[in-house]
Amino acid sequence: TVACTVVVEPNYSTSSVGTAVSEAIENYLSIAGWDFSSTINSLYLTTIASKVVGVKYVSALDVDITGSTTFASNNSLSVTILEKGAIPIGDCTTIATV
């Protein structure tokens, strides 16, 4: 689970930008978007979120493992995939503020 808080540029809809950030992160953490690296670095997810049009900056991003931890471990900076071939499934909640 990814929780992301972004500050939105003036003249952009907070709900639209928040949805776009969630979709960008979820697309990366999907079978189609996954690059098969052995870790998910929270700083890389911050980069993905910051590239969304209308994002002024990312003020917080937290990655947490939900469900079984058999396939992954979390050291607060990144999630490490422990089983070869395991693919993360993205779920991002974004709070967008002005």
Side-chain angles (χ1 to χ4, degrees):
T1 301
V2 179
C4 183
T5 304
V6 297
V7 175
V8 178
E9 292 280 2
N11 301 322
Y12 284 89
S13 162
T14 55
S15 62
S16 295
V17 172
T19 298
V21 169
S22 291
E23 288 174 353
I25 291 173
E26 288 174 5
N27 286 338
Y28 172 69
L29 297 176
S30 70
I31 292 173
W34 184 240
D35 61 4
F36 292 94
S37 63
S38 60
T39 61
I40 302 166
N41 187 292
S42 62
L43 296 176
Y44 185 67
L45 296 180
T46 300
T47 300
I48 291 170
S50 67
K51 289 182 177 180
V52 172
V53 174
V55 171
K56 188 171 187 176
Y57 61 88
V58 176
S59 60
L61 190 131
D62 184 52
V63 179
D64 191 30
I65 299 170
T66 56
S68 171
T69 58
T70 305
F71 302 111
S73 67
N74 186 354
N75 71 0
S76 79
L77 294 177
S78 62
V79 172
T80 300
I81 308 300
L82 301 174
E83 183 170 312
K84 188 174 182 178
I87 297 175
I89 298 172
D91 178 26
C92 179
T93 301
T94 302
I95 299 169
T97 60
V98 177

Coordinates of all heavy atoms in Angstrom, one line a residue:
T1 N 0.8 -1.2 0.0 CA 0.0 0.0 0.0 C 0.9 1.2 0.0 O 1.8 1.3 0.8 CB -0.9 0.0 1.2 OG1 -1.7 -1.2 1.2 CG2 -1.8 1.2 1.2
V2 N 0.6 2.2 -0.8 CA 1.3 3.4 -0.9 C 0.4 4.6 -0.5 O -0.7 4.7 -1.0 CB 1.8 3.7 -2.3 CG1 2.6 5.0 -2.4 CG2 2.7 2.5 -2.8
A3 N 0.8 5.4 0.4 CA 0.1 6.6 0.8 C 0.9 7.8 0.4 O 2.1 7.9 0.8 CB -0.1 6.6 2.3
C4 N 0.4 8.6 -0.4 CA 1.1 9.7 -1.0 C 0.4 11.0 -0.8 O -0.8 11.1 -1.0 CB 1.3 9.5 -2.5 SG 2.3 10.7 -3.3
T5 N 1.1 12.0 -0.3 CA 0.5 13.3 -0.1 C 1.2 14.3 -1.0 O 2.4 14.4 -1.0 CB 0.6 13.8 1.3 OG1 0.0 12.8 2.2 CG2 -0.1 15.2 1.6
V6 N 0.5 15.0 -1.9 CA 1.0 16.0 -2.8 C 0.4 17.3 -2.6 O -0.7 17.5 -2.2 CB 0.9 15.5 -4.3 CG1 1.6 14.2 -4.5 CG2 -0.6 15.4 -4.7
V7 N 1.2 18.4 -2.9 CA 0.7 19.7 -2.9 C 0.5 20.1 -4.4 O 1.4 19.8 -5.2 CB 1.7 20.7 -2.3 CG1 1.3 22.1 -2.4 CG2 1.9 20.3 -0.8
V8 N -0.6 20.6 -4.7 CA -1.0 20.8 -6.1 C -0.8 22.3 -6.5 O -1.0 23.2 -5.7 CB -2.5 20.5 -6.3 CG1 -3.0 20.7 -7.7 CG2 -2.8 19.0 -5.9
E9 N -0.3 22.4 -7.8 CA -0.1 23.7 -8.3 C -1.4 24.5 -8.4 O -2.5 23.9 -8.5 CB 0.5 23.6 -9.8 CG 1.9 23.0 -9.9 CD 2.9 24.1 -9.6 OE1 2.6 25.2 -9.3 OE2 4.1 23.7 -9.7
P10 N -1.3 25.8 -8.3 CA -2.6 26.6 -8.4 C -3.2 26.4 -9.8 O -2.5 26.0 -10.8 CB -2.1 28.1 -8.4 CG -0.7 28.0 -7.7 CD -0.2 26.7 -8.0
N11 N -4.5 26.5 -9.9 CA -5.3 26.3 -11.1 C -5.5 24.9 -11.5 O -5.9 24.6 -12.6 CB -4.8 27.2 -12.2 CG -4.7 28.7 -11.9 OD1 -5.6 29.2 -11.2 ND2 -3.7 29.3 -12.3
Y12 N -5.1 23.9 -10.7 CA -5.3 22.5 -11.0 C -6.3 22.0 -9.9 O -6.3 22.4 -8.8 CB -4.0 21.7 -10.9 CG -3.1 21.9 -12.1 CD1 -2.2 22.9 -12.2 CD2 -3.2 21.1 -13.2 CE1 -1.4 23.1 -13.3 CE2 -2.4 21.2 -14.4 CZ -1.5 22.3 -14.4 OH -0.7 22.4 -15.5
S13 N -7.1 21.0 -10.4 CA -8.0 20.4 -9.5 C -7.3 19.4 -8.6 O -6.6 18.5 -9.0 CB -9.1 19.7 -10.3 OG -9.8 18.7 -9.6
T14 N -7.5 19.6 -7.3 CA -6.9 18.6 -6.3 C -7.4 17.2 -6.5 O -6.6 16.3 -6.4 CB -7.1 19.1 -4.9 OG1 -8.5 19.2 -4.6 CG2 -6.4 20.3 -4.5
S15 N -8.7 17.0 -6.8 CA -9.2 15.7 -7.0 C -8.6 15.0 -8.3 O -8.3 13.9 -8.3 CB -10.7 15.7 -7.0 OG -11.2 16.4 -8.0
S16 N -8.5 15.8 -9.3 CA -8.0 15.3 -10.6 C -6.5 14.9 -10.5 O -6.1 13.9 -10.9 CB -8.2 16.3 -11.7 OG -9.5 16.5 -12.0
V17 N -5.8 15.8 -9.8 CA -4.3 15.5 -9.7 C -4.1 14.3 -8.7 O -3.3 13.5 -9.0 CB -3.6 16.8 -9.1 CG1 -2.1 16.4 -8.8 CG2 -3.6 17.9 -10.2
G18 N -4.9 14.3 -7.6 CA -4.8 13.2 -6.7 C -5.1 11.8 -7.4 O -4.4 10.8 -7.2
T19 N -6.1 11.8 -8.2 CA -6.5 10.6 -9.0 C -5.3 10.2 -9.9 O -5.0 9.1 -10.1 CB -7.8 10.8 -9.7 OG1 -8.8 11.0 -8.8 CG2 -8.1 9.6 -10.6
A20 N -4.8 11.2 -10.6 CA -3.7 11.0 -11.6 C -2.5 10.4 -10.9 O -1.8 9.5 -11.4 CB -3.4 12.3 -12.3
V21 N -2.1 10.9 -9.7 CA -1.0 10.4 -9.0 C -1.2 9.0 -8.6 O -0.4 8.1 -8.7 CB -0.7 11.3 -7.7 CG1 0.3 10.6 -6.8 CG2 -0.2 12.7 -8.1
S22 N -2.4 8.7 -8.0 CA -2.7 7.3 -7.7 C -2.6 6.4 -8.9 O -2.0 5.3 -8.8 CB -4.1 7.2 -7.1 OG -4.2 7.8 -5.8
E23 N -3.2 6.8 -10.0 CA -3.1 6.0 -11.2 C -1.7 5.8 -11.7 O -1.3 4.7 -12.1 CB -4.0 6.6 -12.3 CG -5.4 6.5 -12.0 CD -6.3 7.2 -13.1 OE1 -5.7 7.9 -13.9 OE2 -7.5 7.1 -13.0
A24 N -0.8 6.8 -11.6 CA 0.6 6.7 -12.1 C 1.3 5.6 -11.2 O 2.0 4.8 -11.7 CB 1.2 8.0 -12.0
I25 N 1.1 5.7 -9.9 CA 1.8 4.8 -9.0 C 1.3 3.3 -9.2 O 2.0 2.4 -9.3 CB 1.7 5.2 -7.6 CG1 2.6 6.5 -7.4 CG2 2.2 4.1 -6.6 CD1 2.5 7.2 -6.0
E26 N -0.1 3.2 -9.3 CA -0.7 1.9 -9.5 C -0.3 1.3 -10.8 O -0.1 0.1 -10.9 CB -2.2 2.0 -9.4 CG -2.7 2.2 -7.9 CD -4.1 2.5 -7.8 OE1 -4.9 2.4 -8.8 OE2 -4.6 2.8 -6.7
N27 N -0.1 2.1 -11.9 CA 0.3 1.6 -13.2 C 1.7 1.1 -13.1 O 2.0 0.1 -13.7 CB 0.2 2.7 -14.2 CG -1.2 3.0 -14.6 OD1 -2.1 2.1 -14.5 ND2 -1.5 4.1 -15.2
Y28 N 2.6 1.8 -12.3 CA 3.9 1.3 -12.2 C 3.9 -0.1 -11.4 O 4.7 -1.0 -11.8 CB 4.8 2.3 -11.4 CG 6.2 1.7 -11.1 CD1 7.1 1.5 -12.1 CD2 6.5 1.5 -9.8 CE1 8.3 0.9 -11.8 CE2 7.8 0.9 -9.5 CZ 8.7 0.7 -10.5 OH 9.9 0.1 -10.1
L29 N 3.1 -0.1 -10.4 CA 3.1 -1.4 -9.5 C 2.0 -2.3 -10.1 O 1.2 -2.8 -9.4 CB 2.7 -1.0 -8.1 CG 3.8 -0.1 -7.4 CD1 3.3 0.2 -6.0 CD2 5.1 -0.8 -7.3
S30 N 2.1 -2.6 -11.4 CA 1.2 -3.5 -12.0 C 2.0 -4.5 -12.9 O 3.2 -4.2 -13.1 CB 0.2 -2.8 -12.9 OG 0.8 -2.2 -14.0
I31 N 1.3 -5.5 -13.3 CA 2.0 -6.5 -14.2 C 2.5 -5.8 -15.4 O 3.7 -6.0 -15.9 CB 1.1 -7.7 -14.5 CG1 0.9 -8.5 -13.2 CG2 1.7 -8.5 -15.6 CD1 -0.2 -9.6 -13.4
A32 N 1.7 -4.9 -16.0 CA 2.2 -4.2 -17.2 C 3.3 -3.2 -17.0 O 4.1 -3.0 -17.9 CB 1.0 -3.5 -17.9
G33 N 3.3 -2.6 -15.8 CA 4.3 -1.5 -15.6 C 5.5 -1.9 -14.8 O 6.5 -1.2 -14.8
W34 N 5.4 -3.1 -14.2 CA 6.5 -3.5 -13.3 C 7.8 -3.8 -14.1 O 7.8 -4.4 -15.2 CB 6.1 -4.7 -12.5 CG 7.1 -5.2 -11.6 CD1 7.8 -6.4 -11.5 CD2 7.7 -4.5 -10.4 NE1 8.6 -6.5 -10.5 CE2 8.6 -5.3 -9.8 CE3 7.4 -3.2 -9.9 CZ2 9.3 -4.9 -8.7 CZ3 8.2 -2.8 -8.8 CH2 9.1 -3.6 -8.2
D35 N 8.9 -3.3 -13.7 CA 10.2 -3.4 -14.4 C 11.0 -4.6 -13.9 O 12.1 -4.8 -14.3 CB 11.1 -2.2 -14.3 CG 11.4 -1.8 -12.9 OD1 11.1 -2.6 -11.9 OD2 12.0 -0.7 -12.7
F36 N 10.4 -5.4 -13.0 CA 11.0 -6.7 -12.5 C 12.2 -6.4 -11.7 O 13.1 -7.3 -11.6 CB 11.2 -7.7 -13.6 CG 9.9 -8.2 -14.1 CD1 9.3 -7.6 -15.2 CD2 9.2 -9.2 -13.5 CE1 8.1 -8.1 -15.7 CE2 8.0 -9.7 -14.0 CZ 7.4 -9.1 -15.1
S37 N 12.4 -5.2 -11.1 CA 13.5 -5.0 -10.2 C 13.2 -5.7 -8.9 O 12.1 -6.0 -8.6 CB 13.7 -3.5 -10.0 OG 12.6 -2.9 -9.4
S38 N 14.2 -5.9 -8.1 CA 14.0 -6.7 -6.9 C 13.6 -5.8 -5.7 O 13.3 -6.3 -4.6 CB 15.3 -7.4 -6.5 OG 16.4 -6.5 -6.3
T39 N 13.5 -4.5 -5.9 CA 13.1 -3.6 -4.9 C 12.2 -2.5 -5.4 O 12.2 -2.2 -6.6 CB 14.3 -2.9 -4.2 OG1 15.0 -2.1 -5.1 CG2 15.2 -3.8 -3.5
I40 N 11.3 -2.0 -4.5 CA 10.5 -0.8 -4.8 C 11.0 0.3 -4.0 O 10.8 0.2 -2.7 CB 9.0 -1.1 -4.5 CG1 8.5 -2.3 -5.3 CG2 8.2 0.1 -4.8 CD1 7.2 -2.8 -4.8
N41 N 11.7 1.2 -4.5 CA 12.3 2.3 -3.8 C 11.3 3.4 -3.6 O 10.7 3.9 -4.6 CB 13.6 2.8 -4.5 CG 14.3 3.8 -3.6 OD1 13.8 4.9 -3.4 ND2 15.5 3.4 -3.2
S42 N 11.1 3.9 -2.4 CA 10.1 4.9 -2.1 C 10.5 6.2 -2.8 O 9.6 7.0 -3.2 CB 9.9 5.1 -0.6 OG 11.1 5.5 0.0
L43 N 11.8 6.5 -3.0 CA 12.2 7.7 -3.7 C 11.8 7.6 -5.1 O 11.5 8.7 -5.7 CB 13.7 7.9 -3.5 CG 14.1 8.2 -2.1 CD1 15.7 8.3 -2.0 CD2 13.5 9.4 -1.5
Y44 N 11.8 6.5 -5.7 CA 11.4 6.3 -7.1 C 9.9 6.6 -7.3 O 9.5 7.2 -8.2 CB 11.8 5.0 -7.7 CG 11.5 4.9 -9.2 CD1 12.2 5.6 -10.1 CD2 10.5 4.0 -9.6 CE1 11.9 5.6 -11.4 CE2 10.2 4.0 -11.0 CZ 10.9 4.7 -11.9 OH 10.6 4.7 -13.2
L45 N 9.1 6.1 -6.3 CA 7.7 6.3 -6.3 C 7.4 7.8 -6.1 O 6.5 8.4 -6.8 CB 7.0 5.5 -5.2 CG 7.0 4.0 -5.4 CD1 6.3 3.4 -4.2 CD2 6.5 3.6 -6.7
T46 N 8.3 8.5 -5.3 CA 8.1 10.0 -5.2 C 8.4 10.6 -6.5 O 7.7 11.6 -6.9 CB 9.1 10.5 -4.1 OG1 8.8 9.8 -2.9 CG2 9.1 12.0 -4.0
T47 N 9.4 10.2 -7.3 CA 9.7 10.7 -8.6 C 8.5 10.5 -9.5 O 8.1 11.4 -10.3 CB 11.0 10.0 -9.2 OG1 12.1 10.3 -8.3 CG2 11.3 10.5 -10.6
I48 N 7.9 9.3 -9.5 CA 6.8 9.1 -10.4 C 5.6 10.1 -10.1 O 5.0 10.7 -11.0 CB 6.3 7.6 -10.2 CG1 7.3 6.7 -10.8 CG2 4.9 7.4 -10.8 CD1 7.0 5.2 -10.5
A49 N 5.4 10.2 -8.8 CA 4.3 11.1 -8.3 C 4.6 12.6 -8.7 O 3.7 13.3 -9.2 CB 4.1 11.0 -6.8
S50 N 5.8 13.0 -8.6 CA 6.2 14.4 -8.8 C 6.1 14.7 -10.3 O 6.1 15.9 -10.7 CB 7.6 14.7 -8.3 OG 8.6 14.0 -9.0
K51 N 6.2 13.7 -11.2 CA 6.1 14.0 -12.6 C 4.7 14.2 -13.2 O 4.5 14.5 -14.3 CB 6.8 12.8 -13.4 CG 8.3 12.8 -13.2 CD 8.9 11.7 -14.1 CE 10.4 11.7 -14.0 NZ 11.0 10.6 -14.7
V52 N 3.7 13.9 -12.3 CA 2.3 14.1 -12.7 C 2.0 15.6 -12.9 O 2.4 16.4 -12.0 CB 1.3 13.4 -11.7 CG1 -0.1 13.8 -12.0 CG2 1.5 11.9 -11.7
V53 N 1.4 15.9 -14.0 CA 1.0 17.3 -14.3 C 0.1 17.9 -13.2 O -0.8 17.2 -12.8 CB 0.3 17.4 -15.7 CG1 -0.1 18.8 -15.9 CG2 1.3 17.0 -16.8
G54 N 0.5 19.0 -12.7 CA -0.2 19.6 -11.6 C 0.3 19.4 -10.2 O -0.1 20.1 -9.3
V55 N 1.3 18.5 -10.1 CA 1.9 18.3 -8.8 C 3.0 19.3 -8.6 O 3.9 19.5 -9.4 CB 2.5 16.9 -8.7 CG1 3.3 16.7 -7.4 CG2 1.4 15.8 -8.7
K56 N 2.9 20.1 -7.5 CA 3.9 21.1 -7.2 C 5.1 20.4 -6.5 O 6.2 20.6 -6.9 CB 3.4 22.2 -6.2 CG 4.3 23.3 -6.0 CD 3.6 24.4 -5.2 CE 4.5 25.6 -5.1 NZ 3.7 26.8 -4.5
Y57 N 4.7 19.5 -5.5 CA 5.8 18.7 -4.9 C 5.1 17.6 -4.1 O 3.9 17.7 -3.7 CB 6.8 19.5 -4.0 CG 6.1 20.2 -2.8 CD1 6.0 19.6 -1.6 CD2 5.8 21.5 -3.0 CE1 5.4 20.3 -0.5 CE2 5.2 22.2 -1.9 CZ 5.0 21.6 -0.7 OH 4.5 22.3 0.4
V58 N 5.8 16.5 -3.8 CA 5.3 15.4 -2.9 C 5.8 15.8 -1.5 O 6.9 15.9 -1.2 CB 5.9 14.1 -3.4 CG1 5.5 13.0 -2.4 CG2 5.5 13.8 -4.8
S59 N 4.8 15.9 -0.6 CA 5.1 16.2 0.8 C 5.3 15.0 1.7 O 6.0 15.1 2.7 CB 4.1 17.2 1.4 OG 2.8 16.6 1.4
A60 N 4.8 13.9 1.3 CA 4.9 12.7 2.1 C 4.6 11.5 1.2 O 3.8 11.5 0.3 CB 4.0 12.6 3.3
L61 N 5.4 10.4 1.4 CA 5.1 9.1 0.7 C 5.5 8.0 1.7 O 6.6 8.0 2.2 CB 5.9 9.0 -0.6 CG 5.4 7.8 -1.4 CD1 5.2 8.3 -2.9 CD2 6.4 6.7 -1.4
D62 N 4.6 7.1 1.9 CA 4.8 5.9 2.8 C 4.4 4.6 2.0 O 3.4 4.6 1.4 CB 4.0 6.1 4.1 CG 4.3 5.0 5.0 OD1 5.5 4.8 5.3 OD2 3.4 4.3 5.5
V63 N 5.3 3.7 2.1 CA 5.1 2.4 1.5 C 5.0 1.3 2.6 O 5.8 1.3 3.5 CB 6.2 2.0 0.5 CG1 5.9 0.6 -0.1 CG2 6.4 3.0 -0.5
D64 N 3.9 0.6 2.6 CA 3.7 -0.4 3.6 C 3.2 -1.7 3.0 O 2.5 -1.7 2.0 CB 2.6 0.0 4.6 CG 2.5 -0.8 5.9 OD1 3.6 -1.4 6.3 OD2 1.4 -0.9 6.4
I65 N 3.6 -2.9 3.5 CA 3.2 -4.2 3.0 C 1.9 -4.5 3.7 O 1.9 -4.5 4.9 CB 4.3 -5.2 3.3 CG1 5.6 -4.8 2.5 CG2 3.8 -6.6 2.8 CD1 6.8 -5.7 2.9
T66 N 0.9 -4.9 2.9 CA -0.3 -5.4 3.5 C -0.5 -6.8 3.1 O 0.0 -7.3 2.1 CB -1.5 -4.6 3.0 OG1 -1.6 -4.7 1.6 CG2 -1.5 -3.1 3.4
G67 N -1.1 -7.6 4.0 CA -1.3 -9.0 3.8 C 0.0 -9.8 4.2 O 0.8 -9.4 5.0
S68 N 0.2 -10.9 3.5 CA 1.4 -11.7 3.8 C 2.7 -11.1 3.5 O 2.9 -10.4 2.5 CB 1.3 -13.0 2.9 OG 2.5 -13.8 3.1
T69 N 3.7 -11.2 4.4 CA 5.0 -10.7 4.2 C 6.0 -11.8 3.7 O 7.2 -11.6 3.7 CB 5.5 -10.0 5.5 OG1 5.6 -11.0 6.5 CG2 4.7 -8.9 5.9
T70 N 5.4 -12.9 3.3 CA 6.2 -14.0 2.8 C 7.0 -13.6 1.5 O 8.2 -14.0 1.4 CB 5.3 -15.2 2.4 OG1 4.6 -15.5 3.5 CG2 6.2 -16.4 2.0
F71 N 6.5 -12.7 0.7 CA 7.1 -12.4 -0.6 C 7.9 -11.1 -0.6 O 8.5 -10.8 -1.6 CB 6.0 -12.3 -1.7 CG 5.3 -13.6 -1.8 CD1 3.9 -13.7 -1.5 CD2 5.9 -14.8 -2.3 CE1 3.2 -14.8 -1.6 CE2 5.2 -15.9 -2.4 CZ 3.8 -16.0 -2.1
A72 N 7.8 -10.3 0.5 CA 8.5 -9.0 0.5 C 8.8 -8.6 1.9 O 8.2 -9.1 2.9 CB 7.5 -8.0 -0.1
S73 N 9.8 -7.7 2.0 CA 10.1 -7.1 3.3 C 10.3 -5.6 3.1 O 10.5 -5.1 2.0 CB 11.4 -7.7 3.9 OG 12.5 -7.3 3.0
N74 N 10.0 -4.8 4.2 CA 10.0 -3.4 4.1 C 11.0 -2.8 5.2 O 10.9 -3.1 6.3 CB 8.6 -2.9 4.4 CG 8.5 -1.4 4.2 OD1 9.5 -0.7 4.0 ND2 7.3 -0.9 4.4
N75 N 12.0 -2.0 4.7 CA 12.9 -1.4 5.6 C 12.7 0.1 5.7 O 13.6 0.8 6.1 CB 14.4 -1.7 5.2 CG 14.8 -1.0 4.0 OD1 14.0 -0.2 3.4 ND2 16.0 -1.2 3.6
S76 N 11.6 0.6 5.4 CA 11.1 2.0 5.4 C 11.6 2.8 4.3 O 11.1 3.9 4.0 CB 11.4 2.7 6.8 OG 12.8 3.1 6.9
L77 N 12.7 2.4 3.6 CA 13.2 3.2 2.4 C 12.8 2.5 1.2 O 12.6 3.1 0.1 CB 14.7 3.3 2.5 CG 15.2 4.2 3.6 CD1 16.7 4.2 3.5 CD2 14.7 5.6 3.5
S78 N 12.6 1.1 1.3 CA 12.2 0.4 0.1 C 11.6 -0.9 0.5 O 11.8 -1.4 1.6 CB 13.5 0.1 -0.8 OG 14.4 -0.7 -0.1
V79 N 10.9 -1.5 -0.4 CA 10.3 -2.8 -0.2 C 11.1 -3.8 -1.1 O 11.4 -3.5 -2.3 CB 8.8 -2.9 -0.7 CG1 8.3 -4.3 -0.7 CG2 8.0 -2.0 0.2
T80 N 11.6 -4.9 -0.5 CA 12.4 -5.8 -1.2 C 11.5 -7.0 -1.6 O 10.9 -7.6 -0.7 CB 13.6 -6.3 -0.4 OG1 14.4 -5.1 -0.1 CG2 14.5 -7.3 -1.2
I81 N 11.5 -7.4 -2.8 CA 10.8 -8.6 -3.3 C 11.6 -9.8 -3.0 O 12.8 -9.9 -3.5 CB 10.4 -8.5 -4.8 CG1 9.8 -7.2 -5.1 CG2 9.6 -9.7 -5.2 CD1 8.5 -6.9 -4.4
L82 N 11.1 -10.7 -2.2 CA 11.9 -11.9 -1.7 C 11.8 -13.1 -2.6 O 12.7 -14.0 -2.5 CB 11.5 -12.2 -0.3 CG 11.7 -11.1 0.8 CD1 11.1 -11.6 2.1 CD2 13.1 -10.7 0.9
E83 N 10.8 -13.2 -3.4 CA 10.6 -14.4 -4.2 C 10.7 -14.0 -5.7 O 9.9 -13.2 -6.1 CB 9.3 -15.0 -3.9 CG 9.1 -16.3 -4.6 CD 7.9 -17.1 -4.2 OE1 7.7 -17.3 -3.0 OE2 7.1 -17.5 -5.0
K84 N 11.6 -14.7 -6.4 CA 11.8 -14.4 -7.8 C 10.4 -14.6 -8.5 O 9.8 -15.6 -8.3 CB 12.8 -15.3 -8.4 CG 13.2 -15.0 -9.8 CD 14.4 -15.9 -10.2 CE 14.8 -15.5 -11.6 NZ 15.9 -16.3 -12.1
G85 N 10.1 -13.7 -9.4 CA 8.8 -13.8 -10.1 C 7.6 -13.2 -9.4 O 6.6 -13.1 -10.1
A86 N 7.7 -12.8 -8.2 CA 6.6 -12.2 -7.5 C 6.5 -10.8 -8.0 O 7.4 -10.1 -8.2 CB 6.8 -12.2 -6.0
I87 N 5.2 -10.4 -8.3 CA 5.0 -9.1 -8.8 C 4.1 -8.3 -7.9 O 3.1 -8.8 -7.4 CB 4.2 -9.2 -10.2 CG1 5.2 -10.0 -11.2 CG2 3.8 -7.9 -10.7 CD1 4.5 -10.2 -12.5
P88 N 4.5 -7.1 -7.5 CA 3.7 -6.3 -6.6 C 2.4 -5.9 -7.3 O 2.3 -5.8 -8.5 CB 4.5 -5.1 -6.3 CG 5.4 -4.9 -7.6 CD 5.6 -6.3 -8.0
I89 N 1.4 -5.7 -6.5 CA 0.1 -5.1 -7.0 C -0.1 -3.8 -6.3 O -0.1 -3.7 -5.1 CB -1.1 -6.1 -6.7 CG1 -0.8 -7.4 -7.4 CG2 -2.4 -5.5 -7.1 CD1 -1.8 -8.5 -7.0
G90 N -0.2 -2.8 -7.1 CA -0.3 -1.4 -6.6 C -1.6 -1.0 -6.0 O -2.7 -1.4 -6.5
D91 N -1.6 -0.3 -4.9 CA -2.8 0.3 -4.3 C -2.3 1.6 -3.7 O -1.6 1.6 -2.7 CB -3.4 -0.6 -3.3 CG -4.6 0.0 -2.6 OD1 -5.2 0.9 -3.2 OD2 -4.9 -0.4 -1.4
C92 N -2.7 2.7 -4.3 CA -2.2 4.0 -3.8 C -3.4 4.9 -3.4 O -4.3 5.0 -4.1 CB -1.4 4.7 -4.9 SG -0.8 6.3 -4.4
T93 N -3.2 5.5 -2.2 CA -4.2 6.5 -1.7 C -3.4 7.8 -1.7 O -2.3 7.9 -1.1 CB -4.6 6.2 -0.3 OG1 -5.2 4.9 -0.3 CG2 -5.6 7.2 0.2
T94 N -4.0 8.8 -2.4 CA -3.3 10.1 -2.5 C -4.2 11.2 -1.9 O -5.4 11.2 -2.1 CB -3.1 10.5 -4.0 OG1 -2.3 9.5 -4.6 CG2 -2.3 11.8 -4.1
I95 N -3.5 12.0 -1.0 CA -4.2 13.2 -0.5 C -3.5 14.3 -1.2 O -2.3 14.6 -1.1 CB -3.9 13.3 1.0 CG1 -4.5 12.1 1.8 CG2 -4.5 14.6 1.6 CD1 -4.1 11.9 3.2
A96 N -4.4 15.1 -1.9 CA -3.9 16.2 -2.7 C -4.4 17.5 -2.0 O -5.6 17.6 -1.7 CB -4.4 16.1 -4.1
T97 N -3.5 18.4 -1.7 CA -3.8 19.6 -1.0 C -3.3 20.8 -1.9 O -2.4 20.7 -2.7 CB -3.2 19.7 0.4 OG1 -1.7 19.6 0.2 CG2 -3.7 18.6 1.3
V98 N -3.8 22.0 -1.6 CA -3.4 23.2 -2.3 C -2.3 23.8 -1.6 O -2.2 23.9 -0.4 CB -4.6 24.2 -2.4 CG1 -4.1 25.5 -3.1 CG2 -5.7 23.6 -3.2

